Amino acid sequence: MSNDTNGSTVDDSQVEIPEEKMKELIAAVHHNGTVALNQHFDNVEGQVMGHQVYGPIFVYQVKDEQGDGYACGFFLRELIAKFQQGGDPSMWMASFYVDLMKTPGGKLLPQPPQTEDEAKALIDNVIVPSCISALKEEFAPEEVYAGLALNEEHGPVLEAGFPSISDGNNVCAMPLHVLMAHQLLNREPSELLVQGLYRIRVEHGLE
Protein backbone atom coordinates (compact mmCIF):
# COMPACT_ATOMS: atom_id res chain seq x y z
CA MET A 1 0.00 0.00 0.00
CA SER A 2 1.30 3.44 -0.86
CA ASN A 3 1.37 6.32 1.59
CA ASP A 4 1.22 9.03 -1.07
CA THR A 5 1.29 12.40 0.66
CA ASN A 6 0.66 14.72 -2.27
CA GLY A 7 -1.17 17.87 -1.28
CA SER A 8 -0.72 17.47 2.45
CA THR A 9 1.59 20.45 2.78
CA VAL A 10 -0.81 23.10 1.49
CA ASP A 11 -1.91 25.67 4.04
CA ASP A 12 -5.57 24.76 4.42
CA SER A 13 -6.24 27.83 6.56
CA GLN A 14 -5.88 29.99 3.45
CA VAL A 15 -8.90 28.40 1.75
CA GLU A 16 -11.68 30.99 1.92
CA ILE A 17 -14.86 29.12 2.85
CA PRO A 18 -17.78 30.63 4.80
CA GLU A 19 -17.78 29.50 8.44
CA GLU A 20 -21.03 27.56 8.22
CA LYS A 21 -19.93 25.77 5.04
CA MET A 22 -16.59 24.99 6.66
CA LYS A 23 -18.32 23.40 9.65
CA GLU A 24 -20.40 21.25 7.30
CA LEU A 25 -17.30 20.30 5.31
CA ILE A 26 -15.34 19.35 8.43
CA ALA A 27 -18.24 17.26 9.76
CA ALA A 28 -18.62 15.47 6.41
CA VAL A 29 -14.89 14.75 6.10
CA HIS A 30 -14.72 13.55 9.71
CA HIS A 31 -17.65 11.22 9.11
CA ASN A 32 -16.17 9.89 5.85
CA GLY A 33 -12.85 9.22 7.55
CA THR A 34 -14.53 7.29 10.34
CA VAL A 35 -16.58 5.23 7.89
CA ALA A 36 -13.46 4.52 5.80
CA LEU A 37 -11.47 3.24 8.76
CA ASN A 38 -14.41 1.22 10.08
CA GLN A 39 -14.10 -0.90 6.96
CA HIS A 40 -10.77 -2.19 8.31
CA PHE A 41 -10.90 -1.72 12.10
CA ASP A 42 -13.64 -2.42 14.63
CA ASN A 43 -12.75 0.29 17.13
CA VAL A 44 -12.33 3.77 15.61
CA GLU A 45 -12.43 7.10 17.42
CA GLY A 46 -11.87 10.46 15.74
CA GLN A 47 -11.46 14.11 16.65
CA VAL A 48 -10.75 17.34 14.79
CA MET A 49 -8.03 19.69 15.96
CA GLY A 50 -7.58 23.26 14.74
CA HIS A 51 -4.08 24.31 13.72
CA GLN A 52 -3.13 27.92 13.04
CA VAL A 53 -0.91 26.96 10.08
CA TYR A 54 -2.41 23.77 8.66
CA GLY A 55 -6.09 24.31 9.41
CA PRO A 56 -8.29 21.40 10.56
CA ILE A 57 -6.39 18.20 11.37
CA PHE A 58 -8.30 14.94 11.67
CA VAL A 59 -6.89 12.53 14.25
CA TYR A 60 -8.21 8.98 14.33
CA GLN A 61 -7.32 6.31 16.86
CA VAL A 62 -7.89 2.63 16.19
CA LYS A 63 -7.28 -0.37 18.45
CA ASP A 64 -5.80 -3.72 17.57
CA GLU A 65 -7.03 -7.11 18.80
CA GLN A 66 -5.10 -6.64 22.06
CA GLY A 67 -6.84 -3.33 22.72
CA ASP A 68 -3.74 -1.22 22.12
CA GLY A 69 -4.35 2.18 20.54
CA TYR A 70 -2.72 3.61 17.43
CA ALA A 71 -3.26 7.23 16.39
CA CYS A 72 -2.56 9.07 13.14
CA GLY A 73 -3.43 12.53 11.84
CA PHE A 74 -4.57 13.71 8.42
CA PHE A 75 -4.88 17.12 6.79
CA LEU A 76 -8.20 18.43 5.46
CA ARG A 77 -6.99 19.03 1.91
CA GLU A 78 -5.47 15.58 1.48
CA LEU A 79 -8.60 13.82 2.79
CA ILE A 80 -10.84 15.82 0.45
CA ALA A 81 -8.55 14.92 -2.45
CA LYS A 82 -8.58 11.23 -1.55
CA PHE A 83 -12.37 11.09 -1.17
CA GLN A 84 -12.91 12.91 -4.48
CA GLN A 85 -10.41 10.91 -6.54
CA GLY A 86 -12.40 7.72 -6.45
CA GLY A 87 -10.62 4.46 -5.91
CA ASP A 88 -10.45 3.21 -2.33
CA PRO A 89 -9.46 5.95 0.15
CA SER A 90 -10.12 3.53 3.02
CA MET A 91 -7.15 1.39 1.92
CA TRP A 92 -4.94 4.48 1.84
CA MET A 93 -5.99 5.58 5.33
CA ALA A 94 -5.71 2.08 6.75
CA SER A 95 -2.19 1.68 5.37
CA PHE A 96 -0.86 4.15 7.93
CA TYR A 97 -2.27 2.08 10.79
CA VAL A 98 -0.94 -1.15 9.34
CA ASP A 99 2.52 0.42 9.48
CA LEU A 100 1.97 1.79 12.99
CA MET A 101 0.82 -1.60 14.26
CA LYS A 102 4.26 -3.00 13.51
CA THR A 103 5.13 -1.33 16.83
CA PRO A 104 3.68 -3.60 19.55
CA GLY A 105 1.93 -2.08 22.54
CA GLY A 106 0.28 0.85 20.76
CA LYS A 107 1.49 4.15 19.38
CA LEU A 108 -0.40 7.30 20.27
CA LEU A 109 0.53 10.78 19.06
CA PRO A 110 3.87 11.94 20.51
CA GLN A 111 4.11 14.87 22.89
CA PRO A 112 4.94 18.05 20.92
CA PRO A 113 8.17 19.86 21.82
CA GLN A 114 7.62 22.35 24.64
CA THR A 115 10.65 24.55 23.98
CA GLU A 116 12.79 25.65 21.04
CA ASP A 117 15.60 23.42 22.32
CA GLU A 118 13.29 20.40 22.34
CA ALA A 119 12.11 21.22 18.82
CA LYS A 120 15.68 21.59 17.59
CA ALA A 121 16.67 18.29 19.22
CA LEU A 122 13.73 16.52 17.58
CA ILE A 123 14.70 17.90 14.18
CA ASP A 124 18.46 17.37 14.49
CA ASN A 125 18.46 14.02 16.28
CA VAL A 126 15.36 12.28 14.96
CA ILE A 127 13.67 13.76 11.89
CA VAL A 128 16.64 14.74 9.71
CA PRO A 129 18.72 11.57 10.33
CA SER A 130 15.71 9.28 9.78
CA CYS A 131 14.76 11.10 6.56
CA ILE A 132 18.29 10.89 5.17
CA SER A 133 18.53 7.20 6.07
CA ALA A 134 15.15 6.44 4.49
CA LEU A 135 16.04 8.28 1.27
CA LYS A 136 19.34 6.48 0.87
CA GLU A 137 17.63 3.13 1.49
CA GLU A 138 14.74 3.86 -0.88
CA PHE A 139 16.92 4.78 -3.86
CA ALA A 140 19.98 2.57 -3.29
CA PRO A 141 22.30 2.06 -5.08
CA GLU A 142 21.57 5.47 -6.65
CA GLU A 143 23.48 8.21 -4.84
CA VAL A 144 21.18 10.65 -3.06
CA TYR A 145 22.20 14.07 -1.75
CA ALA A 146 20.40 15.30 1.37
CA GLY A 147 21.13 18.24 3.63
CA LEU A 148 19.77 21.33 5.36
CA ALA A 149 19.35 24.63 3.52
CA LEU A 150 17.67 27.99 4.00
CA ASN A 151 14.86 28.94 1.62
CA GLU A 152 13.93 32.63 1.30
CA GLU A 153 10.19 31.88 1.26
CA HIS A 154 9.88 28.80 3.49
CA GLY A 155 12.79 29.19 5.92
CA PRO A 156 14.86 26.13 6.96
CA VAL A 157 14.31 23.17 4.65
CA LEU A 158 15.65 19.68 4.12
CA GLU A 159 16.84 19.32 0.54
CA ALA A 160 17.27 16.06 -1.33
CA GLY A 161 18.33 15.32 -4.87
CA PHE A 162 20.28 13.18 -7.30
CA PRO A 163 23.87 14.29 -8.10
CA SER A 164 23.71 12.12 -11.23
CA ILE A 165 21.04 14.40 -12.76
CA SER A 166 22.85 17.46 -14.09
CA ASP A 167 20.24 18.97 -16.46
CA GLY A 168 17.12 20.65 -15.12
CA ASN A 169 15.54 20.18 -11.71
CA ASN A 170 17.31 17.59 -9.58
CA VAL A 171 16.42 18.73 -6.04
CA CYS A 172 13.26 18.81 -3.93
CA ALA A 173 12.98 20.56 -0.58
CA MET A 174 10.56 20.35 2.34
CA PRO A 175 10.25 22.92 5.16
CA LEU A 176 11.38 21.56 8.51
CA HIS A 177 8.12 22.65 10.16
CA VAL A 178 6.17 20.51 7.69
CA LEU A 179 8.37 17.50 8.39
CA MET A 180 7.84 18.04 12.12
CA ALA A 181 4.07 18.31 11.65
CA HIS A 182 4.04 14.90 9.99
CA GLN A 183 6.28 13.43 12.71
CA LEU A 184 3.89 14.66 15.41
CA LEU A 185 0.93 13.10 13.58
CA ASN A 186 2.63 9.69 13.42
CA ARG A 187 3.21 10.14 9.72
CA GLU A 188 6.53 9.27 8.09
CA PRO A 189 8.20 12.62 7.22
CA SER A 190 10.55 11.03 4.69
CA GLU A 191 7.58 10.06 2.49
CA LEU A 192 7.22 13.70 1.44
CA LEU A 193 10.77 13.75 0.10
CA VAL A 194 10.54 10.24 -1.34
CA GLN A 195 7.50 11.25 -3.39
CA GLY A 196 9.27 14.44 -4.50
CA LEU A 197 12.34 12.52 -5.67
CA TYR A 198 10.18 10.01 -7.56
CA ARG A 199 8.50 12.91 -9.36
CA ILE A 200 11.95 14.19 -10.35
CA ARG A 201 12.86 10.77 -11.69
CA VAL A 202 9.63 10.65 -13.69
CA GLU A 203 10.31 14.13 -15.11
CA HIS A 204 13.68 12.90 -16.33
CA GLY A 205 12.30 9.64 -17.76
CA LEU A 206 14.00 7.46 -15.17
CA GLU A 207 10.84 5.71 -13.95
Side-chain angles (χ1 to χ4, degrees):
M1 286 180 280
S2 173
N3 292 347
D4 183 7
T5 51
N6 285 352
S8 63
T9 62
V10 175
D11 183 351
D12 294 315
S13 65
Q14 299 302 311
V15 179
E16 293 295 333
I17 299 178
E19 183 177 353
E20 198 59 38
K21 288 292 185 183
M22 177 60 81
K23 288 180 180 179
E24 293 176 5
L25 177 63
I26 291 172
V29 171
H30 179 260
H31 172 75
N32 289 344
T34 302
V35 170
L37 288 172
N38 270 325
Q39 295 181 39
H40 301 273
F41 307 102
D42 293 331
N43 191 313
V44 179
E45 296 179 1
Q47 62 174 317
V48 183
M49 303 187 307
H51 193 285
Q52 61 181 5
V53 176
Y54 304 109
I57 294 177
F58 299 77
V59 177
Y60 296 96
Q61 178 179 314
V62 307
K63 292 185 178 180
D64 61 13
E65 295 177 353
Q66 288 73 42
D68 295 321
Y70 295 84
C72 185
F74 302 89
F75 300 91
L76 175 62
R77 190 180 185 90
E78 67 177 346
L79 288 180
I80 291 175
K82 287 296 179 182
F83 291 137
Q84 290 180 342
Q85 283 172 1
D88 189 355
S90 71
M91 287 290 289
W92 174 78
M93 293 185 71
S95 71
F96 293 96
Y97 295 91
V98 171
D99 287 342
L100 289 175
M101 286 179 177
K102 294 175 183 176
T103 301
K107 190 170 183 180
L108 302 181
L109 295 188
Q111 177 74 16
Q114 301 301 303
T115 65
E116 286 189 19
D117 287 343
E118 288 183 8
K120 186 176 186 304
L122 177 60
I123 291 170
D124 292 345
N125 302 331
V126 178
I127 296 175
V128 170
S130 66
C131 283
I132 292 175
S133 176
L135 291 171
K136 292 183 181 298
E137 180 180 343
E138 178 74 22
F139 294 100
E142 175 84 26
E143 182 183 355
V144 177
Y145 156 80
L148 295 175
L150 190 62
N151 181 280
E152 289 185 7
E153 183 179 352
H154 299 291
V157 299
L158 180 59
E159 283 186 344
F162 300 106
S164 61
I165 299 176
S166 56
D167 286 335
N169 177 37
N170 70 340
V171 173
C172 69
M174 195 60 56
L176 294 183
H177 70 85
V178 174
L179 296 177
M180 180 181 287
H182 280 71
Q183 178 82 17
L184 296 176
L185 294 176
N186 276 346
R187 302 278 293 271
E188 177 52 61
S190 65
E191 280 295 315
L192 298 168
L193 292 160
V194 167
Q195 295 297 330
L197 289 184
Y198 271 120
R199 283 194 290 272
I200 289 173
R201 293 180 64 81
V202 169
E203 289 172 8
H204 290 273
L206 300 175
E207 292 292 330

